[in-house]
Amino acid sequence: MTNRDLTTLPAAQAAAEIRSGVLTSEALAQACLSRIAETDGAIQAWEYLDPEAALAQAREMDEIRRAGRATGALHGVPVGLKDIIDTADAPTGFGSPIFEGNRPAADACIVERLREAGAVILGKTRTTEFAFAHPTSTTNPWDAGRTPGGSSSGSAAAVAAHHVPLAIGTQTAGSVIRPASFCGTFGFKPTRGVISRRGVLRTSQTLDQVGVFGRTLEDVSLLAEVLGSYDPSDPLSLPRPRPTMVAGVQAEPPVAPDIAWFDLAFHDRLDPDAREGYEQVLEALGPRVERFDVAPQLSELGQIQETIHEYEFLQNFEELIERDRDRLSSTLQAVIERARKISQAQYEDAQAVKASAEAFFTGHFNEFDAILAPSATGEAPLLSANTTGDPAFCRIWTLAGLPCVNLPILVGAHGLPIGTQLVGPAELDDRLLRTASWLLKTLSDSEEET
């Protein structure tokens, strides 16, 4: 055990070893903290760390196990939290100097779920300003001159850099899937309403969703399953049983899945190496994929998402904007100016289109198990571009509240990761994860044959 690099352990394996006594939570937490101390000066994935508090949690989990008491699904496993998630014992700053030192009165619902599962809250990861578009200081672990994506910048980078096996982010446009693509991790955003948003910064009441990062498909399914629960304080929380995510990953499809690919109008934004990679994936899947021509109606849904997002952001932050406008970035001020031009009628029309899109995809999945799509335009952009990347390839699926997973299976022209996205039917997250597992195995078998 002493010769192993504990920071590379998948979360599911680490939890099993801790429960069986092969590994201690303290040893794993210390390994993660040492890795952070060695490398975070360059990466800057973490906004807040209290190493002693994290180690105290880990020791408590070890004592619980040694005493023969009940252990949870993530017992002793370190987890990073995006710094828009409330924690009663640590500050939550929302990526803004306006809230420096802010101490919430209570934990977010998902933090309560983590504690119940025995997880160790390692610290808070950096987010873009109010989880919107202004880049953070976080860099991409693959290339310090490139963005890790946003707004869940630190969460994606922390998992990719082996700082922590699991991290939590949020997605309102593409803030889980795109950073996962740029950083080469698995990223999973479950169906809207599966995970409670109580205690998470509200930027858009109809679009905000919680997502997760991990090293394996099983890891992200395990974390999402732990976080899922009905919460009547969240108006979008689904008041019914949740999909069994881990069982989905472990299951074999009864028949080979049928997958759709839409040639959307904005696919001209894809980098050439990304386009080539996706064509190779489609070729490897062969008759399992049906391609559809450019669908203008679908392409326009991205603008609908943007309209709702910006209109609701302005609603939620109007008081703060009036009070602290001079302390907001120029990036965010430009968003606010655009939002002020959106009328109530335009917003209501956008909500009606959103409802139509949800109905369309419900019918579409009667014929297909999943949609294959790009996760991003290609490799992570350079930091000098002052962007966290284009969310165009995620907006539609977020708008419709569909479950999405990033699979880190492609490599770009500069040797950097490019993710492939699978999108599934609402509330059939287990089927999506089953299809994703099948796809990974199918592509692996195809590579071995060639």
Side-chain angles (χ1 to χ4, degrees), residues 307-364:
T307 296
I308 295 172
H309 187 182
E310 294 186 354
Y311 184 91
E312 292 185 346
F313 184 90
L314 181 60
Q315 281 186 324
N316 291 318
F317 287 87
E318 195 142 29
E319 182 179 331
L320 179 140
I321 291 165
E322 292 304 317
R323 188 183 72 228
D324 291 293
R325 186 183 181 94
D326 291 344
R327 301 179 71 185
L328 303 177
S329 69
S330 59
T331 308
L332 198 57
Q333 292 197 34
V335 171
I336 291 163
E337 289 309 307
R338 285 201 308 271
R340 291 196 190 281
K341 297 174 184 176
I342 302 169
S343 68
Q344 176 74 20
Q346 288 173 313
Y347 171 70
E348 291 174 357
D349 287 346
Q351 286 288 2
V353 175
K354 171 179 172 290
S356 297
E358 292 167 356
F360 168 80
F361 285 116
T362 297
H364 171 80

Side-chain angles (χ1 to χ4, degrees), residues 423-446:
V423 183
E427 295 191 66
L428 289 175
D429 304 50
D430 49 349
R431 192 169 97 186
L432 170 65
L433 293 165
R434 185 182 70 187
T435 301
S437 184
W438 170 88
L439 186 143
L440 290 174
K441 184 177 186 303
T442 300
L443 294 180
S444 177
D445 291 346
S446 175

